[in-house]
Amino acid sequence: MSTPDDNQNTSSLWGGRFTEATDLFVQRFTASESFDRQLAAQDIEGSLAHAAMLHAVGVLTDDEAVAIQEGLKNVRDEIAAGTFDWRTDREDVHMNIEARLTELIGEAGKKLHTGRSRNDQVATDIRLWLRNAIDAISAELTRLQRGIVALAQTHATTIMPGFTHLQVAQPITFGHHMLAWNEMLERDWSRLQDCRDRLNQCPLGAAALAGTTFPIDREMTAEMLGFVHPTRNSLDSVSDRDFAIEFCAVAAIVTTHLSRMSEELVLWTSAQFNFIDIPDRFCTGSSIMPQKKNPDVPELVRGKSGRMNGHLMALLTLMKSQPLAYNKDNQEDKEPLFDAVKTLFDCLRAFADMVPALQPNTDNMRTAALQGFSTATDLADYLVRKGLPFRDAHEVVGKTVAHCVNRGIHLEDMSLADLQGFNQAIEEDVFSVLSLEGSVAARDHVGGTAPNQVIAAAQSALALLDQR
Ligand code: ARG
Protein backbone atom coordinates (compact mmCIF):
# COMPACT_ATOMS: atom_id res chain seq x y z
CA MET A 1 0.00 0.00 0.00
CA SER A 2 1.35 3.43 -0.78
CA THR A 3 1.36 6.22 1.76
CA PRO A 4 1.84 9.98 1.26
CA ASP A 5 5.52 9.87 2.24
CA ASP A 6 6.42 7.18 -0.23
CA ASN A 7 8.39 9.50 -2.41
CA GLN A 8 10.21 11.31 0.33
CA ASN A 9 13.88 10.64 0.27
CA THR A 10 15.79 9.21 3.14
CA SER A 11 19.53 9.32 3.80
CA SER A 12 21.37 6.89 1.56
CA LEU A 13 23.34 3.92 2.83
CA TRP A 14 24.92 3.40 -0.54
CA GLY A 15 27.62 6.05 -0.28
CA GLY A 16 29.27 7.79 -3.16
CA ARG A 17 27.65 6.34 -6.25
CA PHE A 18 24.18 7.72 -5.57
CA THR A 19 23.12 11.36 -5.98
CA GLU A 20 19.70 10.82 -4.39
CA ALA A 21 18.48 8.55 -1.65
CA THR A 22 16.29 5.53 -2.26
CA ASP A 23 12.59 6.18 -2.66
CA LEU A 24 10.89 5.16 0.58
CA PHE A 25 8.48 2.77 -1.06
CA VAL A 26 11.29 1.22 -3.09
CA GLN A 27 13.20 0.81 0.12
CA ARG A 28 10.34 -1.17 1.65
CA PHE A 29 9.71 -3.04 -1.59
CA THR A 30 13.29 -4.24 -1.93
CA ALA A 31 13.89 -4.97 1.76
CA SER A 32 13.96 -8.54 3.06
CA GLU A 33 14.85 -8.04 6.73
CA SER A 34 11.28 -8.80 7.85
CA PHE A 35 11.72 -12.43 6.78
CA ASP A 36 15.44 -13.07 6.24
CA ARG A 37 16.14 -12.20 9.87
CA GLN A 38 15.46 -15.91 10.36
CA LEU A 39 18.98 -16.37 9.00
CA ALA A 40 20.58 -14.21 11.71
CA ALA A 41 22.25 -17.05 13.65
CA GLN A 42 23.74 -18.50 10.46
CA ASP A 43 24.77 -15.05 9.23
CA ILE A 44 26.74 -14.46 12.43
CA GLU A 45 28.24 -17.95 12.32
CA GLY A 46 29.40 -17.29 8.75
CA SER A 47 30.80 -13.87 9.69
CA LEU A 48 32.72 -15.32 12.64
CA ALA A 49 34.35 -17.87 10.32
CA HIS A 50 35.06 -15.24 7.66
CA ALA A 51 36.67 -12.90 10.22
CA ALA A 52 38.77 -15.70 11.73
CA MET A 53 39.99 -16.55 8.21
CA LEU A 54 40.79 -12.90 7.35
CA HIS A 55 42.81 -12.77 10.55
CA ALA A 56 44.62 -16.05 9.80
CA VAL A 57 45.71 -14.81 6.36
CA GLY A 58 46.82 -11.44 7.76
CA VAL A 59 44.06 -9.20 6.39
CA LEU A 60 42.80 -8.33 9.89
CA THR A 61 45.04 -7.44 12.84
CA ASP A 62 44.76 -9.28 16.15
CA ASP A 63 42.86 -6.36 17.71
CA GLU A 64 40.45 -6.05 14.80
CA ALA A 65 39.73 -9.78 14.83
CA VAL A 66 39.03 -9.78 18.56
CA ALA A 67 36.80 -6.69 18.30
CA ILE A 68 34.78 -8.22 15.46
CA GLN A 69 34.42 -11.51 17.29
CA GLU A 70 33.27 -9.87 20.53
CA GLY A 71 31.00 -7.46 18.65
CA LEU A 72 29.30 -10.23 16.66
CA LYS A 73 28.65 -12.13 19.87
CA ASN A 74 27.05 -9.04 21.38
CA VAL A 75 24.86 -8.65 18.30
CA ARG A 76 23.88 -12.30 18.65
CA ASP A 77 22.92 -11.69 22.29
CA GLU A 78 20.83 -8.65 21.37
CA ILE A 79 18.95 -10.63 18.74
CA ALA A 80 18.38 -13.53 21.15
CA ALA A 81 17.17 -11.12 23.85
CA GLY A 82 14.79 -9.42 21.42
CA THR A 83 16.41 -6.01 21.95
CA PHE A 84 17.95 -5.79 18.46
CA ASP A 85 16.58 -2.88 16.46
CA TRP A 86 15.71 -4.35 13.02
CA ARG A 87 15.64 -1.58 10.45
CA THR A 88 14.04 -1.67 7.04
CA ASP A 89 16.39 1.07 5.82
CA ARG A 90 19.19 -1.45 6.38
CA GLU A 91 17.45 -3.70 3.86
CA ASP A 92 18.34 -7.21 4.92
CA VAL A 93 19.71 -9.40 7.69
CA HIS A 94 23.28 -8.99 6.47
CA MET A 95 23.35 -5.19 6.49
CA ASN A 96 21.37 -4.96 9.72
CA ILE A 97 23.95 -7.08 11.50
CA GLU A 98 26.97 -5.41 9.92
CA ALA A 99 25.68 -1.90 10.61
CA ARG A 100 24.93 -2.74 14.22
CA LEU A 101 28.39 -4.32 14.58
CA THR A 102 29.99 -1.10 13.40
CA GLU A 103 27.85 0.91 15.82
CA LEU A 104 29.12 -1.30 18.62
CA ILE A 105 32.84 -1.61 17.75
CA GLY A 106 33.60 1.26 15.38
CA GLU A 107 36.15 1.12 12.53
CA ALA A 108 36.95 -2.60 12.77
CA GLY A 109 33.31 -3.37 11.96
CA LYS A 110 33.74 -1.76 8.55
CA LYS A 111 36.48 -4.28 7.68
CA LEU A 112 34.36 -7.40 8.11
CA HIS A 113 33.06 -7.22 4.56
CA THR A 114 36.59 -7.38 3.08
CA GLY A 115 36.81 -10.12 0.46
CA ARG A 116 33.16 -11.07 0.48
CA SER A 117 29.80 -9.96 -0.87
CA ARG A 118 26.25 -10.41 0.31
CA ASN A 119 25.95 -12.75 -2.66
CA ASP A 120 28.26 -15.44 -1.27
CA GLN A 121 27.15 -14.52 2.24
CA VAL A 122 23.46 -15.22 1.65
CA ALA A 123 24.21 -18.40 -0.30
CA THR A 124 26.23 -19.60 2.71
CA ASP A 125 23.57 -18.59 5.23
CA ILE A 126 20.77 -20.45 3.47
CA ARG A 127 22.85 -23.60 3.14
CA LEU A 128 23.70 -23.52 6.84
CA TRP A 129 20.09 -22.83 7.75
CA LEU A 130 18.69 -25.55 5.50
CA ARG A 131 21.24 -28.08 6.74
CA ASN A 132 19.98 -27.55 10.31
CA ALA A 133 16.39 -27.70 9.13
CA ILE A 134 16.97 -30.99 7.33
CA ASP A 135 18.47 -32.46 10.50
CA ALA A 136 15.48 -31.41 12.59
CA ILE A 137 13.04 -32.68 9.96
CA SER A 138 14.91 -35.99 9.63
CA ALA A 139 14.68 -36.50 13.40
CA GLU A 140 10.92 -35.89 13.31
CA LEU A 141 10.55 -38.23 10.34
CA THR A 142 12.45 -40.89 12.26
CA ARG A 143 10.16 -40.42 15.27
CA LEU A 144 7.14 -40.95 13.03
CA GLN A 145 8.67 -44.06 11.48
CA ARG A 146 9.34 -45.51 14.91
CA GLY A 147 5.68 -45.03 15.81
CA ILE A 148 4.56 -46.71 12.60
CA VAL A 149 6.90 -49.68 13.02
CA ALA A 150 5.78 -50.12 16.64
CA LEU A 151 2.15 -50.32 15.43
CA ALA A 152 3.25 -52.89 12.84
CA GLN A 153 4.82 -55.00 15.57
CA THR A 154 1.72 -54.83 17.77
CA HIS A 155 -0.54 -55.70 14.85
CA ALA A 156 1.46 -58.26 12.92
CA THR A 157 -1.47 -60.69 13.10
CA THR A 158 -4.37 -58.21 12.99
CA ILE A 159 -6.42 -58.94 9.87
CA MET A 160 -7.83 -56.19 7.67
CA PRO A 161 -8.98 -56.06 4.07
CA GLY A 162 -6.37 -55.01 1.52
CA PHE A 163 -7.83 -52.85 -1.25
CA THR A 164 -7.30 -52.23 -4.92
CA HIS A 165 -9.59 -49.67 -6.58
CA LEU A 166 -10.84 -49.16 -2.99
CA GLN A 167 -12.65 -52.51 -3.40
CA VAL A 168 -11.86 -55.34 -1.01
CA ALA A 169 -9.12 -57.34 -2.73
CA GLN A 170 -7.29 -59.76 -0.42
CA PRO A 171 -6.85 -60.00 3.32
CA ILE A 172 -3.69 -58.44 4.73
CA THR A 173 -2.49 -57.63 8.21
CA PHE A 174 -2.68 -54.14 9.66
CA GLY A 175 1.01 -54.49 10.47
CA HIS A 176 1.75 -55.07 6.79
CA HIS A 177 -0.18 -51.94 5.88
CA MET A 178 1.81 -49.92 8.45
CA LEU A 179 5.07 -51.20 7.00
CA ALA A 180 3.98 -50.00 3.55
CA TRP A 181 3.69 -46.51 5.05
CA ASN A 182 7.13 -46.95 6.54
CA GLU A 183 8.64 -47.80 3.14
CA MET A 184 7.43 -44.49 1.69
CA LEU A 185 9.01 -42.61 4.58
CA GLU A 186 12.22 -44.61 4.44
CA ARG A 187 12.72 -43.44 0.84
CA ASP A 188 11.91 -39.89 1.92
CA TRP A 189 14.55 -40.03 4.61
CA SER A 190 17.21 -41.03 2.10
CA ARG A 191 16.03 -38.29 -0.28
CA LEU A 192 16.52 -35.77 2.54
CA GLN A 193 20.04 -37.06 3.18
CA ASP A 194 20.87 -36.83 -0.54
CA CYS A 195 19.73 -33.21 -0.54
CA ARG A 196 21.81 -32.52 2.58
CA ASP A 197 24.93 -34.15 1.10
CA ARG A 198 24.68 -32.14 -2.10
CA LEU A 199 24.17 -28.78 -0.38
CA ASN A 200 27.01 -29.27 2.07
CA GLN A 201 29.61 -27.14 0.23
CA CYS A 202 30.75 -23.65 1.15
CA PRO A 203 30.15 -20.73 -1.27
CA LEU A 204 32.13 -18.23 0.89
CA GLY A 205 34.95 -16.69 -1.13
CA ALA A 206 32.97 -16.48 -4.36
CA ALA A 207 32.31 -12.88 -3.28
CA ALA A 208 30.08 -10.97 -5.72
CA LEU A 209 30.60 -13.46 -8.57
CA ALA A 210 34.25 -13.66 -9.65
CA GLY A 211 36.12 -14.32 -6.41
CA THR A 212 38.27 -11.81 -4.55
CA THR A 213 41.70 -10.21 -4.83
CA PHE A 214 42.51 -10.98 -1.17
CA PRO A 215 44.58 -14.07 -0.24
CA ILE A 216 41.61 -15.91 1.29
CA ASP A 217 41.65 -19.48 2.62
CA ARG A 218 38.42 -21.06 1.45
CA GLU A 219 39.27 -24.46 2.92
CA MET A 220 39.46 -22.85 6.34
CA THR A 221 36.02 -21.21 6.26
CA ALA A 222 34.47 -24.34 4.73
CA GLU A 223 35.89 -26.46 7.52
CA MET A 224 34.94 -24.02 10.29
CA LEU A 225 31.34 -24.07 9.11
CA GLY A 226 31.18 -27.86 8.85
CA PHE A 227 31.06 -27.96 5.05
CA VAL A 228 32.79 -30.81 3.24
CA HIS A 229 34.66 -28.49 0.86
CA PRO A 230 34.39 -25.08 -0.84
CA THR A 231 32.16 -24.84 -3.91
CA ARG A 232 34.10 -25.16 -7.16
CA ASN A 233 32.95 -22.23 -9.29
CA SER A 234 32.38 -18.70 -8.06
CA LEU A 235 29.66 -17.83 -10.59
CA ASP A 236 27.70 -20.96 -9.81
CA SER A 237 28.22 -20.46 -6.07
CA VAL A 238 26.29 -17.20 -5.92
CA SER A 239 23.56 -18.16 -8.36
CA ASP A 240 22.81 -21.78 -7.45
CA ARG A 241 19.57 -22.39 -5.59
CA ASP A 242 19.22 -26.05 -6.62
CA PHE A 243 19.39 -27.09 -2.99
CA ALA A 244 16.26 -25.09 -2.18
CA ILE A 245 14.44 -26.56 -5.17
CA GLU A 246 15.57 -30.04 -4.23
CA PHE A 247 14.45 -29.60 -0.67
CA CYS A 248 11.03 -28.38 -1.81
CA ALA A 249 10.78 -31.35 -4.19
CA VAL A 250 11.54 -33.74 -1.35
CA ALA A 251 9.12 -31.87 0.91
CA ALA A 252 6.42 -32.14 -1.75
CA ILE A 253 6.97 -35.89 -1.99
CA VAL A 254 6.92 -36.36 1.80
CA THR A 255 3.73 -34.32 2.04
CA THR A 256 2.22 -36.32 -0.81
CA HIS A 257 2.93 -39.46 1.21
CA LEU A 258 1.45 -37.91 4.33
CA SER A 259 -1.63 -36.92 2.31
CA ARG A 260 -2.12 -40.54 1.25
CA MET A 261 -1.85 -41.72 4.84
CA SER A 262 -4.20 -38.92 5.86
CA GLU A 263 -6.76 -39.97 3.28
CA GLU A 264 -6.70 -43.52 4.64
CA LEU A 265 -7.11 -42.27 8.20
CA VAL A 266 -10.03 -40.08 7.16
CA LEU A 267 -11.68 -43.06 5.47
CA TRP A 268 -10.90 -45.43 8.32
CA THR A 269 -12.37 -43.15 10.98
CA SER A 270 -15.66 -42.77 9.07
CA ALA A 271 -18.72 -44.67 10.33
CA GLN A 272 -18.71 -46.64 7.08
CA PHE A 273 -15.26 -48.12 7.72
CA ASN A 274 -14.83 -47.70 11.47
CA PHE A 275 -11.37 -49.30 11.38
CA ILE A 276 -9.61 -46.76 13.60
CA ASP A 277 -10.27 -44.34 16.42
CA ILE A 278 -8.20 -41.19 16.66
CA PRO A 279 -8.06 -39.92 20.26
CA ASP A 280 -10.09 -36.79 20.98
CA ARG A 281 -7.03 -34.60 21.46
CA PHE A 282 -6.26 -34.88 17.75
CA CYS A 283 -9.83 -34.16 16.63
CA THR A 284 -12.30 -31.31 16.76
CA GLY A 285 -16.06 -31.07 16.90
CA SER A 286 -18.69 -29.27 14.90
CA SER A 287 -20.24 -25.98 15.98
CA ILE A 288 -23.68 -27.18 14.90
CA MET A 289 -23.72 -31.00 14.88
CA PRO A 290 -23.20 -32.18 18.45
CA GLN A 291 -22.40 -35.76 17.45
CA LYS A 292 -19.45 -34.88 15.20
CA LYS A 293 -15.83 -35.78 15.85
CA ASN A 294 -13.77 -34.73 12.87
CA PRO A 295 -10.31 -36.02 11.91
CA ASP A 296 -8.95 -32.50 11.48
CA VAL A 297 -5.27 -33.35 11.82
CA PRO A 298 -5.15 -35.78 8.88
CA GLU A 299 -7.46 -33.54 6.86
CA LEU A 300 -5.24 -30.53 7.38
CA VAL A 301 -2.07 -32.48 6.59
CA ARG A 302 -3.77 -33.73 3.41
CA GLY A 303 -4.50 -30.11 2.52
CA LYS A 304 -0.95 -28.92 3.20
CA SER A 305 0.36 -30.87 0.23
CA GLY A 306 -1.26 -28.28 -2.06
CA ARG A 307 0.78 -25.46 -0.60
CA MET A 308 3.93 -27.57 -0.66
CA ASN A 309 3.55 -28.26 -4.39
CA GLY A 310 3.06 -24.51 -4.78
CA HIS A 311 6.40 -23.75 -3.12
CA LEU A 312 8.17 -26.18 -5.44
CA MET A 313 6.57 -24.55 -8.48
CA ALA A 314 7.46 -21.08 -7.13
CA LEU A 315 11.15 -21.94 -6.85
CA LEU A 316 11.37 -23.72 -10.19
CA THR A 317 9.75 -20.74 -11.86
CA LEU A 318 11.94 -18.30 -9.91
CA MET A 319 15.11 -19.90 -11.26
CA LYS A 320 13.93 -20.59 -14.78
CA SER A 321 15.78 -18.45 -17.36
CA GLN A 322 17.85 -16.54 -14.81
CA PRO A 323 21.16 -15.55 -16.35
CA LEU A 324 24.35 -16.01 -14.32
CA ALA A 325 25.26 -14.93 -11.76
CA TYR A 326 23.37 -13.41 -8.81
CA ASN A 327 20.09 -11.61 -9.51
CA LYS A 328 17.85 -9.91 -7.01
CA ASP A 329 15.16 -12.40 -8.02
CA ASN A 330 16.95 -14.81 -5.71
CA GLN A 331 15.72 -12.92 -2.68
CA GLU A 332 12.36 -14.51 -3.50
CA ASP A 333 13.74 -17.95 -2.63
CA LYS A 334 13.36 -17.48 1.10
CA GLU A 335 9.67 -17.25 1.87
CA PRO A 336 8.72 -20.43 -0.02
CA LEU A 337 11.69 -22.28 1.47
CA PHE A 338 11.02 -21.08 5.01
CA ASP A 339 7.36 -22.00 4.78
CA ALA A 340 8.14 -25.39 3.25
CA VAL A 341 10.46 -26.18 6.18
CA LYS A 342 7.98 -25.04 8.82
CA THR A 343 5.01 -26.76 7.19
CA LEU A 344 6.83 -30.04 6.70
CA PHE A 345 8.15 -30.02 10.25
CA ASP A 346 4.70 -29.32 11.68
CA CYS A 347 3.02 -32.03 9.58
CA LEU A 348 5.61 -34.59 10.67
CA ARG A 349 5.30 -33.51 14.27
CA ALA A 350 1.51 -33.85 14.20
CA PHE A 351 1.76 -37.31 12.64
CA ALA A 352 4.56 -38.46 14.95
CA ASP A 353 2.43 -37.48 17.96
CA MET A 354 -0.81 -38.95 16.59
CA VAL A 355 0.23 -42.27 15.02
CA PRO A 356 1.30 -44.06 18.24
CA ALA A 357 -2.07 -43.05 19.74
CA LEU A 358 -4.19 -44.56 16.94
CA GLN A 359 -6.62 -47.20 18.19
CA PRO A 360 -7.37 -49.91 15.62
CA ASN A 361 -10.81 -51.52 15.90
CA THR A 362 -9.55 -55.01 15.15
CA ASP A 363 -12.96 -56.73 15.13
CA ASN A 364 -14.35 -54.30 12.57
CA MET A 365 -11.31 -54.71 10.34
CA ARG A 366 -11.63 -58.49 10.47
CA THR A 367 -15.37 -58.34 9.68
CA ALA A 368 -14.67 -56.07 6.72
CA ALA A 369 -12.09 -58.53 5.41
CA LEU A 370 -14.78 -61.23 5.38
CA GLN A 371 -16.81 -59.14 2.94
CA GLY A 372 -16.07 -59.03 -0.74
CA PHE A 373 -14.79 -62.62 -1.18
CA SER A 374 -11.29 -61.60 -0.22
CA THR A 375 -10.03 -65.21 -0.25
CA ALA A 376 -11.21 -65.94 -3.81
CA THR A 377 -7.62 -65.78 -5.11
CA ASP A 378 -6.62 -68.30 -2.45
CA LEU A 379 -9.24 -70.71 -3.82
CA ALA A 380 -7.92 -70.23 -7.35
CA ASP A 381 -4.33 -70.82 -6.15
CA TYR A 382 -5.58 -73.95 -4.35
CA LEU A 383 -7.03 -75.31 -7.60
CA VAL A 384 -3.73 -74.58 -9.36
CA ARG A 385 -1.96 -76.69 -6.75
CA LYS A 386 -4.48 -79.44 -7.56
CA GLY A 387 -3.40 -79.32 -11.19
CA LEU A 388 -5.65 -76.75 -12.94
CA PRO A 389 -4.08 -74.04 -15.15
CA PHE A 390 -4.54 -70.64 -13.43
CA ARG A 391 -6.94 -69.27 -16.11
CA ASP A 392 -9.26 -72.26 -15.66
CA ALA A 393 -9.06 -71.94 -11.89
CA HIS A 394 -9.95 -68.22 -12.24
CA GLU A 395 -13.06 -69.20 -14.23
CA VAL A 396 -14.17 -71.85 -11.72
CA VAL A 397 -13.80 -69.46 -8.77
CA GLY A 398 -15.62 -66.71 -10.65
CA LYS A 399 -18.63 -68.99 -11.03
CA THR A 400 -18.40 -70.06 -7.38
CA VAL A 401 -18.37 -66.41 -6.26
CA ALA A 402 -21.40 -65.64 -8.47
CA HIS A 403 -23.22 -68.55 -6.80
CA CYS A 404 -22.40 -67.08 -3.35
CA VAL A 405 -23.51 -63.60 -4.40
CA ASN A 406 -26.89 -65.01 -5.48
CA ARG A 407 -27.36 -66.75 -2.16
CA GLY A 408 -25.90 -63.99 -0.01
CA ILE A 409 -23.26 -66.24 1.59
CA HIS A 410 -19.46 -66.23 2.02
CA LEU A 411 -17.19 -68.73 0.25
CA GLU A 412 -16.36 -70.51 3.52
CA ASP A 413 -20.10 -70.92 4.25
CA MET A 414 -20.39 -73.38 1.34
CA SER A 415 -20.48 -77.11 2.03
CA LEU A 416 -17.77 -79.33 0.63
CA ALA A 417 -20.34 -80.99 -1.63
CA ASP A 418 -21.47 -77.63 -3.03
CA LEU A 419 -17.87 -76.61 -3.66
CA GLN A 420 -17.17 -79.92 -5.38
CA GLY A 421 -20.10 -79.13 -7.66
CA PHE A 422 -17.86 -76.46 -9.16
CA ASN A 423 -14.75 -78.61 -9.30
CA GLN A 424 -14.15 -82.20 -8.30
CA ALA A 425 -10.57 -81.59 -7.23
CA ILE A 426 -11.73 -79.66 -4.15
CA GLU A 427 -11.23 -81.55 -0.88
CA GLU A 428 -11.72 -81.01 2.86
CA ASP A 429 -8.40 -79.10 3.16
CA VAL A 430 -9.94 -76.23 1.16
CA PHE A 431 -11.39 -74.67 4.31
CA SER A 432 -8.02 -73.74 5.78
CA VAL A 433 -7.30 -71.95 2.50
CA LEU A 434 -10.57 -70.02 2.62
CA SER A 435 -9.98 -68.67 6.13
CA LEU A 436 -8.57 -65.16 6.54
CA GLU A 437 -5.77 -66.43 8.77
CA GLY A 438 -4.89 -69.16 6.27
CA SER A 439 -4.88 -66.63 3.46
CA VAL A 440 -2.43 -64.21 5.08
CA ALA A 441 -0.23 -66.99 6.52
CA ALA A 442 0.15 -68.47 3.04
CA ARG A 443 1.81 -65.30 1.68
CA ASP A 444 4.99 -66.31 3.38
CA HIS A 445 7.86 -64.79 1.42
CA VAL A 446 9.96 -61.63 1.60
CA GLY A 447 7.61 -58.67 1.26
CA GLY A 448 4.49 -60.78 1.88
CA THR A 449 1.76 -60.22 4.45
CA ALA A 450 2.24 -63.43 6.50
CA PRO A 451 2.55 -62.46 10.18
CA ASN A 452 6.03 -63.97 10.55
CA GLN A 453 7.17 -61.96 7.51
CA VAL A 454 5.67 -58.80 8.99
CA ILE A 455 7.50 -59.41 12.26
CA ALA A 456 10.79 -59.95 10.42
CA ALA A 457 10.23 -56.89 8.20
CA ALA A 458 9.50 -54.73 11.25
CA GLN A 459 12.74 -55.97 12.81
CA SER A 460 14.74 -54.97 9.70
CA ALA A 461 12.97 -51.62 9.59
CA LEU A 462 13.95 -50.96 13.20
CA ALA A 463 17.54 -52.00 12.49
CA LEU A 464 17.70 -49.36 9.74
CA LEU A 465 16.27 -46.71 12.06
CA ASP A 466 18.82 -47.64 14.73
CA GLN A 467 21.66 -47.02 12.26
CA ARG A 468 20.73 -43.33 11.82
N1 ARG B 1 18.89 -9.93 0.53
C1 ARG B 1 19.62 -10.44 -0.58
C2 ARG B 1 19.07 -11.81 -0.99
O1 ARG B 1 18.39 -12.39 -0.23
C3 ARG B 1 21.08 -10.57 -0.24
C4 ARG B 1 21.96 -10.49 -1.43
C5 ARG B 1 21.86 -9.16 -2.03
N2 ARG B 1 22.87 -8.94 -3.02
C6 ARG B 1 22.81 -7.90 -3.86
N3 ARG B 1 23.76 -7.78 -4.71
N4 ARG B 1 21.79 -7.09 -3.86
O2 ARG B 1 19.31 -12.30 -2.04
Side-chain angles (χ1 to χ4, degrees):
M1 241 197 333
S2 62
T3 63
D5 8 305
D6 272 353
N7 296 322
Q8 276 178 21
N9 291 340
T10 180
S11 65
S12 171
L13 287 162
W14 300 109
R17 170 70 177 81
F18 285 65
T19 54
E20 63 175 2
T22 317
D23 178 275
L24 271 182
F25 172 70
V26 170
Q27 188 178 87
R28 287 206 305 276
F29 184 66
T30 53
S32 55
E33 59 78 27
S34 64
F35 51 87
D36 70 12
R37 58 174 77 168
Q38 277 201 60
L39 299 172
Q42 290 71 31
D43 196 68
I44 290 172
E45 198 186 342
S47 289
L48 285 168
H50 180 67
M53 182 277 291
L54 290 179
H55 177 227
V57 300
V59 172
L60 292 179
T61 65
D62 293 353
D63 289 348
E64 288 165 345
V66 170
I68 288 174
Q69 198 178 60
E70 295 301 312
L72 283 171
K73 288 180 179 162
N74 288 335
V75 173
R76 183 161 64 194
D77 292 345
E78 286 183 6
I79 293 171
T83 56
F84 189 88
D85 179 24
W86 291 100
R87 285 172 48 171
T88 307
D89 62 328
R90 289 177 176 172
E91 193 176 319
D92 58 20
V93 59
H94 322 293
M95 296 206 289
N96 264 277
I97 289 174
E98 190 189 316
R100 178 65 185 144
L101 175 72
T102 301
E103 276 172 8
L104 288 172
I105 69 169
E107 284 300 293
K110 297 188 197 165
K111 298 195 174 179
L112 173 62
H113 213 52
T114 314
R116 79 170 180 188
S117 149
R118 281 183 296 155
N119 297 352
D120 58 343
Q121 194 178 350
V122 70
T124 305
D125 292 0
I126 312 173
R127 285 175 191 247
L128 288 172
W129 185 89
L130 187 56
R131 195 175 67 188
N132 285 347
I134 289 176
D135 290 344
I137 284 167
S138 299
E140 215 54 6
L141 182 64
T142 302
R143 192 163 73 87
L144 169 57
Q145 286 186 262
R146 285 191 181 281
I148 289 172
V149 174
L151 265 186
Q153 287 181 312
T154 312
H155 292 282
T157 59
T158 301
I159 305 273
M160 71 179 286
F163 299 90
T164 59
H165 313 269
L166 204 56
Q167 309 286 325
V168 171
Q170 293 172 347
I172 57 170
T173 63
F174 183 64
H176 197 51
H177 198 112
M178 288 300 101
L179 290 182
W181 283 10
N182 184 57
E183 286 302 315
M184 302 181 200
L185 300 177
E186 184 67 29
R187 288 192 294 276
D188 291 336
W189 188 84
S190 77
R191 275 186 268 269
L192 279 170
Q193 306 321 304
D194 286 350
C195 176
R196 187 190 196 283
D197 287 348
R198 232 179 330 272
L199 73 73
N200 204 13
Q201 307 179 4
C202 189
L204 267 191
L209 76 164
T212 170
T213 57
F214 294 95
I216 55 169
D217 181 348
R218 295 194 64 205
E219 296 288 345
M220 178 179 168
T221 39
E223 197 187 0
M224 282 188 77
L225 296 171
F227 289 114
V228 178
H229 54 72
T231 50
R232 283 183 292 262
N233 180 288
S234 64
L235 290 177
D236 180 57
S237 305
V238 293
S239 76
D240 169 34
R241 294 293 182 274
D242 290 3
F243 52 88
I245 298 176
E246 269 191 74
F247 175 80
C248 284
V250 177
I253 297 174
V254 181
T255 327
T256 296
H257 288 153
L258 294 178
S259 81
R260 300 184 64 183
M261 298 169 195
S262 296
E263 173 70 7
E264 294 190 327
L265 289 176
V266 171
L267 286 171
W268 292 349
T269 53
S270 70
Q272 288 69 24
F273 276 80
N274 199 4
F275 285 3
I276 289 276
D277 281 328
I278 299 180
D280 289 357
R281 64 183 181 279
F282 298 105
C283 299
T284 62
S286 158
S287 56
I288 175 170
M289 297 168 283
Q291 86 284 10
K292 287 301 287 291
K293 171 174 159 182
N294 297 325
D296 283 47
V297 169
E299 287 176 274
L300 200 51
V301 169
R302 187 175 60 184
K304 297 278 186 196
S305 65
R307 135 199 207 140
M308 217 54 128
N309 295 350
H311 293 328
L312 174 60
M313 284 309 128
L315 291 189
L316 284 168
T317 313
L318 174 69
M319 296 313 293
K320 180 188 174 296
S321 310
Q322 260 199 54
L324 290 173
Y326 176 86
N327 302 283
K328 183 77 170 181
D329 312 40
N330 284 4
Q331 184 164 291
E332 284 289 304
D333 63 352
K334 287 169 203 64
E335 287 161 293
L337 181 65
F338 291 168
D339 188 70
V341 163
K342 184 186 182 323
T343 304
L344 181 57
F345 184 88
D346 288 353
C347 289
L348 288 169
R349 176 182 170 171
F351 253 68
D353 289 346
M354 180 182 65
V355 161
L358 294 176
Q359 295 152 350
N361 299 325
T362 57
D363 290 347
N364 292 343
M365 289 201 262
R366 192 174 192 289
T367 305
L370 286 169
Q371 314 298 319
F373 307 98
S374 64
T375 58
T377 314
D378 297 84
L379 180 55
D381 288 353
Y382 171 88
L383 290 170
V384 169
R385 286 194 294 277
K386 298 285 183 186
L388 259 72
F390 183 79
R391 265 305 142 228
D392 294 344
H394 187 282
E395 173 83 15
V396 169
V397 177
K399 288 181 173 147
T400 316
V401 166
H403 169 88
C404 290
V405 171
N406 285 334
R407 282 171 182 64
I409 57 172
H410 298 308
L411 277 173
E412 61 275 32
D413 296 335
M414 289 180 69
S415 69
L416 182 58
D418 283 351
L419 283 165
Q420 284 169 336
F422 287 90
N423 192 285
Q424 279 303 319
I426 297 177
E427 295 173 276
E428 185 65 40
D429 60 350
V430 74
F431 291 105
S432 66
V433 161
L434 294 180
S435 77
L436 297 173
E437 282 71 17
S439 172
V440 294
R443 283 161 174 80
D444 187 9
H445 52 77
V446 171
T449 194
N452 58 309
Q453 293 292 343
V454 170
I455 288 164
Q459 273 303 323
S460 326
L462 269 187
L464 281 180
L465 294 174
D466 287 343
Q467 277 168 28
R468 289 182 186 172

